[in-house]
């Protein structure tokens, strides 16, 4: 990882297979990967501009941004939007132009704008001194006119207060909403994290991670985010580690009991809507 104040450069090593669920998003990205090739030029297909991914924290938005760069084999530039906003008059615009120039110089690349709502939610509101609106204007024009292949991945926990212009066609190619994982998705996410960490016989002892084992965990984790499922796996391992013994199913079940999902209220709301529908 290399940092220049506004941008953080990296070459993440994450595969699409490291993301459980988010099938539509993954399929879309895989299909779009080919559209910046020479072959696509022959068909006059424009290079993809970017995606906006919104949804609950801990459900894989950041993970997706990193994965795009690995699977397209291009560098990832993470933009710290907070750093763009500078106290000095004129500096914010200079910072924004600097970011755009750097990204274009590094093309092809992925420009990941994390928590974009923090930068642009106030655009046009009475509290905005004009800086956010000007930066937003610069950004939108660039999104529409950019010729270099700089694929923008913007992630947001909440898009309710983002300016509608950002959501209009032609800015982002697609907007994806990332929801809590379903039970089938939880199975895959748990499998991913168990496989990553349970790779040694000492830790496993006689425990076999089969369908029954997974099912027991999946049933008890309704409303858990991907990040919380990962946390359950780590907490279960810690349980066994601190007692210096092989892991058992009970270690994970205890870890689940000790986890209060952050979005429990949303989960209940979503469940109620689904039951009603
Ligand atoms: P935030 O807004 O808090 O950054 P996020 O949606 O970007 O949330 P991530 O940072 O991608 O969430 O998730 C945190 C971690 O949780 C990931 O690094 C990953 O290990 C795990 N995780 C989350 N979602 C998934 C998923 N769908 N599949 C596999 N692992 C996941």
């Amino acid at each position: 990882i290399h940092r220049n104040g506004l941008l953080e450069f990296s070459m993440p090593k994450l595969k699409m297979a490291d993301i459980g669920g988010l099938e539509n998003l993954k399929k879309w990205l895989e299909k779009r990967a080919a559209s910046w090739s020479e072959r696509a030029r022959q068909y006059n297909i424009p290079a993809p501009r970017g995606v906006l991914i919104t949804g609950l924290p801990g459900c894989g938005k950041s993970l997706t941004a990193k994965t795009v760069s690995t699977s397209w084999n291009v560098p990832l530039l993470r933009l710290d939007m907070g750093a763009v906003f500078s106290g000095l008059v004129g500096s914010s615009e200079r910072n924004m132009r600097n970011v755009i120039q750097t990204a274009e110089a590094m093309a092809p690349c992925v420009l990941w704008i994390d928590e974009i709502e923090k930068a642009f939610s106030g655009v046009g509101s009475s509290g905005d001194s004009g800086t956010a609106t000007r930066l937003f204007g610069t950004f939108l024009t660039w999104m529409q006119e950019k010729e270099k292949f700089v694929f923008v991945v913007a992630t947001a926990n909440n898009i309710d207060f983002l300016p509608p212009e950002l959501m209009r066609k032609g800015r982002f190619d697609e907007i994806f909403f990332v929801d809590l994982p379903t039970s089938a998705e939880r199975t895959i996410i748990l499998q991913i994290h168990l496989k990553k960490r349970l790779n040694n016989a000492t830790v496993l002892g006689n425990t076999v991670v089969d369908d029954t084992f997974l099912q027991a965990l999946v049933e008890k984790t309704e409303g858990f985010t991907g990040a919380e499922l990962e946390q359950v796996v780590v907490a279960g391992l810690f349980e066994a580690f601190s007692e210096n013994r092989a892991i058992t199913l009970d270690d994970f079940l205890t870890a689940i009991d000790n986890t209060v999902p952050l979005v429990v209220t949303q989960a209940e709301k979503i469940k109620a809507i689904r039951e009603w529908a």
Side-chain angles (χ1 to χ4, degrees):
I1 293 180
H2 177 72
R3 224 178 240 285
N4 85 345
L6 299 169
L7 290 165
E8 189 184 88
F9 305 80
S10 63
M11 286 294 289
K13 298 260 170 299
L14 284 158
K15 299 181 296 298
M16 287 286 173
D18 293 320
I19 309 176
L22 316 191
E23 289 306 325
N24 290 339
L25 175 54
K26 285 194 285 186
K27 250 184 236 144
W28 187 87
L29 289 168
E30 268 159 12
K31 206 165 171 185
R32 275 311 189 130
S35 61
W36 55 284
S37 59
E38 209 30 63
R39 201 170 66 80
R41 292 293 89 75
Q42 288 163 9
Y43 283 76
N44 283 320
I45 291 172
R49 291 169 201 280
V51 276
L52 172 60
I53 311 173
T54 170
L56 299 169
C59 287
K61 300 188 295 293
S62 312
L63 194 59
T64 308
K66 292 175 197 158
T67 307
V68 178
S69 112
T70 313
S71 64
W72 294 3
N73 198 23
V74 296
L76 177 70
L77 276 67
R78 179 167 183 263
L79 173 61
D80 178 355
M81 212 47 182
V84 173
F85 284 87
S86 143
L88 301 166
V89 178
S91 297
S92 314
E93 280 99 323
R94 224 178 4 255
N95 285 343
M96 192 76 211
R97 279 197 302 272
N98 193 332
V99 165
I100 290 172
Q101 267 168 14
T102 313
E104 296 213 326
M106 293 211 45
C109 64
V110 172
L111 177 64
W112 169 26
I113 308 177
D114 197 11
E115 303 192 57
I116 194 170
E117 73 273 33
K118 284 202 175 149
F120 295 141
S121 278
V123 169
S125 75
S126 53
D128 177 25
S129 61
T131 308
T133 305
R134 277 198 304 278
L135 285 192
F136 184 59
T138 310
F139 177 73
L140 277 194
T141 312
W142 174 68
M143 272 301 275
Q144 221 156 351
E145 294 172 359
K146 69 183 153 82
E147 282 174 9
K148 289 271 172 60
F149 182 64
V150 177
F151 185 76
V152 176
V153 178
T155 52
N157 289 329
N158 190 344
I159 55 166
D160 292 353
F161 304 105
L162 277 177
E165 295 94 308
L166 194 67
M167 258 73 85
R168 220 174 272 153
K169 275 274 166 213
R171 268 75 203 245
F172 292 101
D173 300 301
E174 213 51 80
I175 300 176
F176 287 94
F177 179 72
V178 170
D179 205 348
L180 283 173
T182 61
S183 61
E185 289 165 344
R186 290 202 300 281
T187 311
I188 301 169
I189 296 173
L190 282 164
Q191 257 168 339
I192 290 171
H193 291 287
L194 287 167
K195 204 168 146 201
K196 196 153 88 188
R197 293 202 164 80
L198 289 183
N199 52 4
N200 113 32
T202 321
V203 168
L204 269 173
N206 295 326
T207 305
V208 183
V209 182
D210 55 11
D211 287 351
T212 324
F213 186 104
L214 275 170
Q215 202 48 42
L217 302 184
V218 168
E219 270 167 23
K220 283 192 78 178
T221 48
E222 181 159 9
F224 280 50
T225 62
E228 283 158 351
L229 293 172
E230 184 184 18
Q231 190 192 318
V232 161
V233 172
V234 175
L237 275 163
F238 197 79
E239 201 63 27
F241 163 75
S242 49
E243 290 175 17
N244 199 16
R245 55 170 174 74
I247 195 124
T248 67
L249 176 60
D250 277 347
D251 293 320
F252 296 115
L253 297 177
T254 310
I256 293 170
D257 287 337
N258 292 336
T259 310
V260 180
L262 275 178
V263 285
V264 80
T265 46
Q266 268 112 322
E268 275 164 9
K269 229 191 295 180
I270 290 164
K271 204 173 147 203
I273 293 168
R274 286 201 181 128
E275 274 165 12
W276 180 80

